[in-house]
Coordinates of all heavy atoms in Angstrom, one line a residue:
Chain N
P311 N 51.4 -60.9 -115.7 CA 52.2 -62.1 -115.7 C 52.5 -62.7 -114.3 O 52.6 -61.9 -113.4 CB 53.5 -61.7 -116.4 CG 53.5 -60.2 -116.2 CD 52.1 -59.7 -116.0
G312 N 52.5 -64.0 -114.3 CA 53.0 -64.6 -113.1 C 52.2 -64.3 -111.8 O 52.8 -64.4 -110.7
G313 N 51.0 -63.9 -111.9 CA 50.2 -63.7 -110.6 C 50.8 -62.6 -109.8 O 50.9 -62.7 -108.5
E314 N 51.2 -61.5 -110.3 CA 51.8 -60.5 -109.5 C 50.7 -59.7 -108.8 O 49.9 -59.0 -109.4 CB 52.6 -59.5 -110.4 CG 53.9 -60.2 -110.9 CD 54.6 -59.3 -112.0 OE1 54.2 -58.1 -112.1 OE2 55.4 -59.9 -112.7
Chain A
V70 N 51.2 -66.1 -125.1 CA 52.2 -66.6 -124.2 C 52.5 -65.6 -123.1 O 52.5 -64.4 -123.3 CB 53.6 -67.0 -124.9 CG1 53.5 -68.2 -125.7 CG2 54.1 -65.8 -125.7
L71 N 52.8 -66.1 -121.9 CA 53.2 -65.3 -120.8 C 54.4 -65.9 -120.2 O 54.4 -67.1 -119.9 CB 52.1 -65.2 -119.7 CG 50.9 -64.2 -119.9 CD1 50.0 -64.3 -118.7 CD2 51.4 -62.8 -120.1
E72 N 55.5 -65.2 -120.1 CA 56.7 -65.7 -119.5 C 57.1 -67.0 -120.1 O 57.5 -68.0 -119.5 CB 56.5 -65.9 -118.0 CG 56.3 -64.6 -117.3 CD 56.0 -64.7 -115.8 OE1 55.7 -65.9 -115.4 OE2 56.0 -63.7 -115.1
D73 N 57.1 -67.0 -121.5 CA 57.6 -68.1 -122.2 C 56.8 -69.4 -122.2 O 57.2 -70.5 -122.6 CB 59.1 -68.4 -121.9 CG 59.8 -69.0 -123.1 OD1 59.4 -68.6 -124.2 OD2 60.8 -69.7 -122.9
H74 N 55.6 -69.3 -121.5 CA 54.7 -70.5 -121.5 C 53.4 -70.0 -122.0 O 53.0 -68.9 -122.0 CB 54.6 -71.0 -120.1 CG 55.9 -71.7 -119.6 ND1 56.3 -72.9 -120.0 CD2 56.8 -71.2 -118.8 CE1 57.5 -73.2 -119.4 NE2 57.8 -72.1 -118.7

Side-chain angles (χ1 to χ4, degrees):
Chain N
E314 287 171 17
Chain A
V70 286
L71 278 181
E72 296 174 345
D73 212 26
H74 293 282

